[in-house]
Amino acid sequence: MEFSEKQLEILHVAEKLFATSGFDGTSVRDIAHEAQVNVAMINYYFGSKDKLLDDLFTYRVEKFKMDESILQLTIPVMDILDEMVKSYIKYMNSSLAIYHILAIEAGVKKRLMLSDSYKNLKKHNLNVISSILQKGVDAGEFRSGNDPILIHATMMGTFMNFQMNRSFLKSELNLTTDEEYSQYMESTLVIHLQRTIKALLTYEY
Amino acid sequence: MEFSEKQLEILHVAEKLFATSGFDGTSVRDIAHEAQVNVAMINYYFGSKDKLLDDLFTYRVEKFKMDESILQLTIPVMDILDEMVKSYIKYMNSSLAIYHILAIEAGVKKRLMLSDSYKNLKKHNLNVISSILQKGVDAGEFRSGNDPILIHATMMGTFMNFQMNRSFLKSELNLTTDEEYSQYMESTLVIHLQRTIKALLTYEY
Amino acid sequence: MEFSEKQLEILHVAEKLFATSGFDGTSVRDIAHEAQVNVAMINYYFGSKDKLLDDLFTYRVEKFKMDESILQLTIPVMDILDEMVKSYIKYMNSSLAIYHILAIEAGVKKRLMLSDSYKNLKKHNLNVISSILQKGVDAGEFRSGNDPILIHATMMGTFMNFQMNRSFLKSELNLTTDEEYSQYMESTLVIHLQRTIKALLTYEY
Amino acid sequence: MEFSEKQLEILHVAEKLFATSGFDGTSVRDIAHEAQVNVAMINYYFGSKDKLLDDLFTYRVEKFKMDESILQLTIPVMDILDEMVKSYIKYMNSSLAIYHILAIEAGVKKRLMLSDSYKNLKKHNLNVISSILQKGVDAGEFRSGNDPILIHATMMGTFMNFQMNRSFLKSELNLTTDEEYSQYMESTLVIHLQRTIKALLTYEY
DNA sequence: AATGAATGAGACTTCATTCAT
DNA sequence: TATGAATGAAGTCTCATTCAT
């Protein structure tokens, strides 16, 4: 799907506002005002508020697909794992708005959950993780029997927890700006997750 | 604060509906109808819809306070850790409705985040975790230098991830009923988290 | 169904405006303004604009049921026929507004046509006419083989034609006021219809 | 007035939609879509939605003018009357769409009623009827004192009644298709009206 | 203490029309 | 001549809240 420049602006504004105030908490008027367009234009361009959310999701969903080419890299599987975690967090962090929306609205049953592209995204990412695990088991580096679902939930859940408790954690971690917070996630949090997953995969009980 | 029987019924209904449809997605009329009370009664009892959410939170918040008495148990620190994880997930799972609300609405900046009781809850739980970590380090069982914030984020984030992707994961895990899903979380998920945290705390890089 | 005084006022105003400007041509705002009530009150009382039309119809429909007691009168069947025509036109004329609406909106397929009470009304009236015809045939006064549907269509169609061309016919008939027009219909038009139907029923080809 | 091919297509589509859903119930977008033209083109070609209705009326009005040449036929006046009724119903039936519109929208005061061509049409038709009546009286076949207005109202009203209660009458008369219904009107209904008017004009009270 | 009635504000959406090209 | 883009106005309806009782 192709979006005009105005449409893109609307999408970006909507993304920000949905992330800040939720879908129901954001009015079409708010979006129109912030995007400096006519109220009617949102419906003119997207048909309805619901379809705007759909389009926003479609527009952003590609970003969250894990890059499966890392599987082909001729580097130790441990490094592939590290790379995967790092990229995933980095991508999510770079468009945290849509992820925030996704996390919030996915819970409210009626909406995105039903979306096929959402399911496909999830399945794709689980497959990538699954392949890495298999590669590690084959190389004798990982214990077998680990569930990619649990790995993914740990990685993504921990990240989301940081997103959703931003203001509390910011003060708790003495991080003053959003940039610092962002850097924290891309460094400290990434390392934590890399260590956590690695420990889990190699730990002997 | 003391709530009358009618007030409690309203709170319980509100909890369910907020969890299902979000705060904005639930109207005062919906609550009144489901609780079989007059629409005006919600405002009469709670002042406003916002204050109803506050009261609901206050009413439930105690549940989510980690039990600090486990620190006094004369059992190996490893078992204390296991117990903490197990109880925490169990409590959250037993009142997932409020937790769902909390997770969703906490993200929407204007609301609960500001609440002092929310901050206090978080701080309390971090302190309990911190104490356990210290105990483990003192006993020579845990590596030092672990941040309770990261531990907590991992535990709670992973759990929340299971909450928010319920329908997708249910089908992915071949769990047909909510009871099965609930059992999965209280068994498999708990074990996963226990292992994960333990691995992390003892792993040598 | 019971209507409060305010509801009745709204119904009356709606009746007038629907008759004047059609259903689509009348806005809820118009009704609210003319009835001097809040715009929200229309929905508060009736649920929706569509349901308002339903209720209006239900409220008025009784008026248009032909009085079947005339069948019991011990007078010549010819007089029963005259009486039927006279009463029918008189009743229709006394609440022409709703009849206007009915005629107009019945044509627009989606609406009232489907309503059961509309069908029942029609069937009832056809039955009364049918009974009168039978009585006349039995008495040897009417030819047999007349279809009540055609009789009814003639009577009602002619009346409606006068309703729908009011302003043209008013000037054509040199009637200056609506009262004069109304009187014309209750006298001249009634006589015309009585004669027409009588002629039709007794005429030998 | 001359209409281009595109304009004609628009007119035809508009005619159909107005007849189906009423003037207010039909949007310019609907027309444009069905006619496969740009939305702006309706205004470009016709100036406004209202003027489109005017033009549609002007375009169709000729059809409803009674053919006055029948007055010159050297056949019994009774046959002239029969012919007039037959042709009138046939013409109306052949373009019932516009007639439907006319009947509906003529009632809504603001519009077509004001149109001069509408008045002229009515006057023309009344004159034709009047001439036939006179011819019959002169020939000693009709009673004098009959008002052409009442004759016309009876004929047109009865026909319109069949138009506006199509779906009810279709089921009542066991006619399954629109074609059957159409045939019914051009045969049974025509005969009914011919008999009715003839009876009325010759009946002795 | 409790509630039915009422309402102002604002939600989303559709409309006929205009404008720049 | 023709049209895609854009928009102000208005539509219906729902909302949380208040008020009189």
Side-chain angles (χ1 to χ4, degrees):
Chain A
M1 198 179 316
E2 294 289 311
F3 294 111
S4 74
E5 219 160 307
K6 277 254 170 84
Q7 281 176 303
L8 283 176
E9 171 145 8
I10 293 171
L11 283 174
H12 295 155
V13 167
E15 184 176 23
K16 193 186 98 186
L17 294 181
F18 287 164
T20 309
S21 315
F23 180 79
D24 289 321
T26 304
S27 79
V28 174
R29 265 182 180 76
D30 294 338
I31 299 170
H33 181 259
E34 184 108 353
Q36 288 177 299
V37 298
N38 192 283
V39 208
M41 192 176 276
I42 273 88
N43 285 310
Y44 174 64
Y45 274 146
F46 299 97
S48 72
K49 193 188 175 191
D50 274 322
K51 274 205 79 268
L52 169 62
L53 182 60
D54 281 353
D55 282 0
L56 176 56
F57 182 68
T58 308
Y59 166 58
R60 287 297 198 202
V61 75
E62 284 305 314
K63 277 216 163 172
F64 298 106
K65 274 197 171 168
M66 284 181 184
D67 180 10
E68 47 196 336
S69 72
I70 55 168
L71 283 163
Q72 313 306 330
L73 296 178
T74 53
I75 54 173
V77 68
M78 222 55 126
D79 294 347
I80 292 182
L81 188 70
D82 281 353
E83 179 58 27
M84 184 271 287
V85 173
K86 188 178 166 186
S87 326
Y88 198 45
I89 299 299
K90 193 178 149 198
Y91 280 130
M92 290 203 291
N93 197 32
S94 73
S95 19
L96 53 97
I98 186 70
Y99 229 95
H100 215 166
I101 297 166
L102 225 154
I104 291 176
E105 302 301 335
V108 178
K109 288 192 189 77
K110 290 156 300 195
R111 284 191 281 260
L112 293 171
M113 270 324 249
L114 311 167
S115 156
D116 275 347
S117 35
Y118 184 74
K119 279 190 183 170
N120 290 336
L121 168 64
K122 291 259 169 206
K123 290 200 173 180
H124 171 87
N125 289 353
L126 283 176
N127 280 336
V128 173
I129 293 175
S130 190
S131 300
I132 297 175
L133 293 192
Q134 189 57 48
K135 205 174 177 110
V137 171
D138 290 349
E141 305 229 16
F142 297 162
R143 272 190 310 98
S144 68
N146 278 293
D147 190 341
I149 289 178
L150 290 167
I151 305 291
H152 178 262
T154 302
M155 180 169 60
M156 175 158 157
T158 308
F159 171 78
M160 285 309 300
N161 189 270
F162 268 83
Q163 285 305 341
M164 313 202 78
N165 293 286
R166 171 174 294 257
S167 63
F168 172 75
L169 291 175
K170 236 164 77 181
S171 85
E172 202 70 11
L173 293 163
N174 290 316
L175 303 171
T176 47
T177 68
D178 279 343
E179 282 69 32
E180 282 180 349
Y181 196 68
S182 203
Q183 279 172 3
Y184 176 89
M185 283 193 290
E186 296 202 15
S187 55
T188 310
L189 177 60
V190 163
I191 292 170
H192 165 74
L193 284 172
Q194 287 172 337
R195 281 186 184 169
T196 302
I197 295 168
K198 205 178 305 175
L200 183 65
L201 292 176
T202 60
Y203 188 75
E204 299 291 337
Y205 308 107
Chain B
M1 198 179 315
E2 293 291 309
F3 293 111
S4 74
E5 218 161 307
K6 278 238 172 105
Q7 282 175 305
L8 282 176
E9 170 142 11
I10 293 171
L11 284 174
H12 295 156
V13 167
E15 182 177 24
K16 193 185 98 186
L17 295 181
F18 288 164
T20 309
S21 313
F23 181 79
D24 288 320
T26 303
S27 76
V28 172
R29 263 179 181 70
D30 293 337
I31 300 170
H33 180 260
E34 185 112 350
Q36 290 176 296
V37 299
N38 192 282
V39 210
M41 194 178 268
I42 273 91
N43 281 327
Y44 176 64
Y45 274 147
F46 299 96
S48 74
K49 194 188 175 190
D50 275 324
K51 276 207 77 267
L52 167 62
L53 182 60
D54 283 352
D55 283 0
L56 175 57
F57 181 70
T58 308
Y59 166 58
R60 287 297 198 204
V61 74
E62 286 306 315
K63 276 214 164 175
F64 298 105
K65 277 198 170 167
M66 284 180 186
D67 178 10
E68 45 197 336
S69 71
I70 56 169
L71 283 164
Q72 314 307 330
L73 295 177
T74 54
I75 54 174
V77 67
M78 221 55 123
D79 295 347
I80 293 182
L81 186 69
D82 281 353
E83 180 57 27
M84 182 271 287
V85 173
K86 188 178 166 187
S87 325
Y88 197 45
I89 300 298
K90 195 177 147 198
Y91 281 130
M92 289 203 290
N93 198 32
S94 72
S95 25
L96 54 96
I98 188 69
Y99 228 94
H100 218 167
I101 298 166
L102 224 155
I104 292 176
E105 303 302 337
V108 177
K109 285 197 189 73
K110 292 158 298 194
R111 283 191 283 259
L112 293 170
M113 273 323 255
L114 313 167
S115 153
D116 275 347
S117 37
Y118 184 75
K119 280 190 183 170
N120 290 336
L121 167 64
K122 290 259 170 207
K123 289 199 173 181
H124 171 86
N125 289 351
L126 283 176
N127 280 336
V128 173
I129 293 174
S130 190
S131 301
I132 297 175
L133 293 191
Q134 189 57 48
K135 204 174 177 109
V137 171
D138 291 349
E141 304 231 15
F142 299 162
R143 272 190 307 99
S144 68
N146 279 293
D147 189 340
I149 288 178
L150 289 166
I151 305 291
H152 178 263
T154 301
M155 180 170 60
M156 173 156 160
T158 306
F159 171 77
M160 285 309 300
N161 189 269
F162 268 82
Q163 285 306 341
M164 314 204 78
N165 292 287
R166 170 176 293 258
S167 65
F168 172 74
L169 290 176
K170 235 163 78 179
S171 85
E172 201 71 11
L173 292 164
N174 290 315
L175 303 171
T176 46
T177 66
D178 279 344
E179 281 69 33
E180 283 181 348
Y181 195 68
S182 203
Q183 280 171 2
Y184 176 91
M185 283 192 291
E186 296 203 13
S187 55
T188 310
L189 177 60
V190 163
I191 292 171
H192 165 74
L193 284 172
Q194 288 170 336
R195 280 184 184 170
T196 302
I197 295 169
K198 205 179 305 175
L200 182 66
L201 293 177
T202 61
Y203 190 74
E204 298 292 335
Y205 309 106
Chain C
M1 199 179 316
E2 294 288 310
F3 293 111
S4 73
E5 220 160 306
K6 277 252 170 86
Q7 280 176 305
L8 283 177
E9 171 145 9
I10 293 171
L11 283 175
H12 295 157
V13 168
E15 183 176 24
K16 193 185 97 185
L17 295 181
F18 287 164
T20 309
S21 314
F23 181 79
D24 288 322
T26 304
S27 78
V28 174
R29 266 183 180 73
D30 294 338
I31 299 170
H33 181 260
E34 184 108 354
Q36 289 176 297
V37 297
N38 192 284
V39 208
M41 193 177 276
I42 273 87
N43 285 310
Y44 172 65
Y45 273 147
F46 298 97
S48 74
K49 193 188 174 189
D50 274 322
K51 275 204 79 269
L52 168 61
L53 181 59
D54 281 352
D55 283 0
L56 176 56
F57 181 69
T58 307
Y59 167 57
R60 287 297 199 203
V61 74
E62 284 306 315
K63 277 214 164 175
F64 299 105
K65 275 198 171 167
M66 284 181 186
D67 179 9
E68 45 197 337
S69 72
I70 54 169
L71 283 164
Q72 314 307 331
L73 295 178
T74 54
I75 53 172
V77 67
M78 220 56 124
D79 294 347
I80 293 182
L81 187 70
D82 280 354
E83 180 57 27
M84 184 270 286
V85 173
K86 188 177 164 186
S87 325
Y88 198 44
I89 300 298
K90 194 176 146 198
Y91 280 130
M92 288 204 292
N93 197 33
S94 72
S95 20
L96 54 97
I98 187 71
Y99 229 94
H100 217 166
I101 297 166
L102 224 154
I104 291 176
E105 301 302 336
V108 177
K109 286 193 190 77
K110 291 156 299 195
R111 283 193 282 261
L112 292 172
M113 268 326 250
L114 311 168
S115 153
D116 275 346
S117 36
Y118 184 73
K119 279 189 183 170
N120 290 336
L121 168 65
K122 289 259 169 207
K123 289 198 174 183
H124 171 86
N125 289 352
L126 284 177
N127 281 336
V128 173
I129 293 175
S130 190
S131 300
I132 297 176
L133 293 191
Q134 190 56 48
K135 205 175 178 110
V137 171
D138 291 348
E141 305 229 16
F142 299 161
R143 271 189 311 99
S144 67
N146 279 293
D147 189 341
I149 289 178
L150 290 167
I151 305 290
H152 179 263
T154 303
M155 182 168 60
M156 174 156 159
T158 307
F159 171 77
M160 285 310 299
N161 188 270
F162 267 83
Q163 285 306 341
M164 314 203 78
N165 293 287
R166 170 176 294 259
S167 65
F168 172 74
L169 291 175
K170 235 162 80 179
S171 84
E172 201 68 13
L173 293 164
N174 289 317
L175 302 170
T176 47
T177 66
D178 278 344
E179 281 70 32
E180 282 180 349
Y181 195 68
S182 203
Q183 279 171 2
Y184 175 89
M185 283 193 289
E186 296 202 13
S187 56
T188 310
L189 177 60
V190 163
I191 292 170
H192 165 75
L193 283 172
Q194 288 171 337
R195 280 185 184 169
T196 302
I197 294 169
K198 206 179 303 173
L200 182 66
L201 292 177
T202 60
Y203 190 74
E204 299 291 335
Y205 309 106
Chain D
M1 198 179 314
E2 294 289 310
F3 293 113
S4 75
E5 219 161 305
K6 278 241 172 100
Q7 281 175 305
L8 282 176
E9 170 141 11
I10 293 171
L11 283 174
H12 295 156
V13 167
E15 183 177 22
K16 194 186 97 184
L17 295 181
F18 287 164
T20 309
S21 314
F23 180 79
D24 288 319
T26 304
S27 79
V28 172
R29 263 180 181 71
D30 293 337
I31 300 170
H33 181 260
E34 184 113 351
Q36 290 177 298
V37 298
N38 191 283
V39 211
M41 193 179 269
I42 273 89
N43 282 327
Y44 176 63
Y45 273 148
F46 299 96
S48 76
K49 193 189 176 190
D50 276 322
K51 274 206 79 267
L52 169 62
L53 182 59
D54 283 352
D55 283 359
L56 175 57
F57 182 70
T58 308
Y59 166 59
R60 285 299 198 202
V61 74
E62 285 305 315
K63 276 215 164 172
F64 299 105
K65 275 198 171 167
M66 284 180 185
D67 178 10
E68 46 196 337
S69 72
I70 56 168
L71 283 164
Q72 314 307 328
L73 295 178
T74 54
I75 54 171
V77 67
M78 222 54 127
D79 295 347
I80 292 182
L81 187 69
D82 280 355
E83 180 57 28
M84 183 271 287
V85 173
K86 190 177 166 186
S87 325
Y88 198 45
I89 299 299
K90 196 176 145 197
Y91 279 129
M92 290 203 291
N93 198 31
S94 73
S95 25
L96 53 96
I98 186 69
Y99 228 95
H100 218 164
I101 298 166
L102 224 153
I104 291 175
E105 303 302 336
V108 178
K109 287 197 188 74
K110 291 158 297 194
R111 284 191 282 260
L112 293 172
M113 275 321 256
L114 312 167
S115 156
D116 277 345
S117 37
Y118 184 73
K119 279 190 182 168
N120 290 336
L121 168 64
K122 290 262 170 206
K123 290 199 173 180
H124 171 86
N125 288 352
L126 283 176
N127 281 336
V128 173
I129 293 174
S130 189
S131 300
I132 296 176
L133 293 191
Q134 189 56 49
K135 204 174 177 112
V137 171
D138 292 348
E141 305 228 17
F142 298 161
R143 272 190 309 99
S144 66
N146 279 294
D147 189 342
I149 288 178
L150 290 167
I151 305 291
H152 179 263
T154 302
M155 181 169 59
M156 175 157 158
T158 308
F159 171 77
M160 285 310 300
N161 189 269
F162 267 83
Q163 284 305 342
M164 314 204 77
N165 292 287
R166 172 176 292 258
S167 65
F168 173 74
L169 290 176
K170 235 163 78 179
S171 85
E172 201 70 11
L173 293 163
N174 290 315
L175 303 172
T176 46
T177 67
D178 279 344
E179 282 70 33
E180 283 181 348
Y181 195 69
S182 204
Q183 279 171 3
Y184 176 89
M185 283 193 290
E186 296 202 14
S187 56
T188 309
L189 178 59
V190 163
I191 292 171
H192 166 74
L193 284 173
Q194 288 171 337
R195 280 185 185 168
T196 303
I197 295 170
K198 207 179 305 175
L200 183 65
L201 293 177
T202 61
Y203 189 73
E204 298 293 334
Y205 308 105

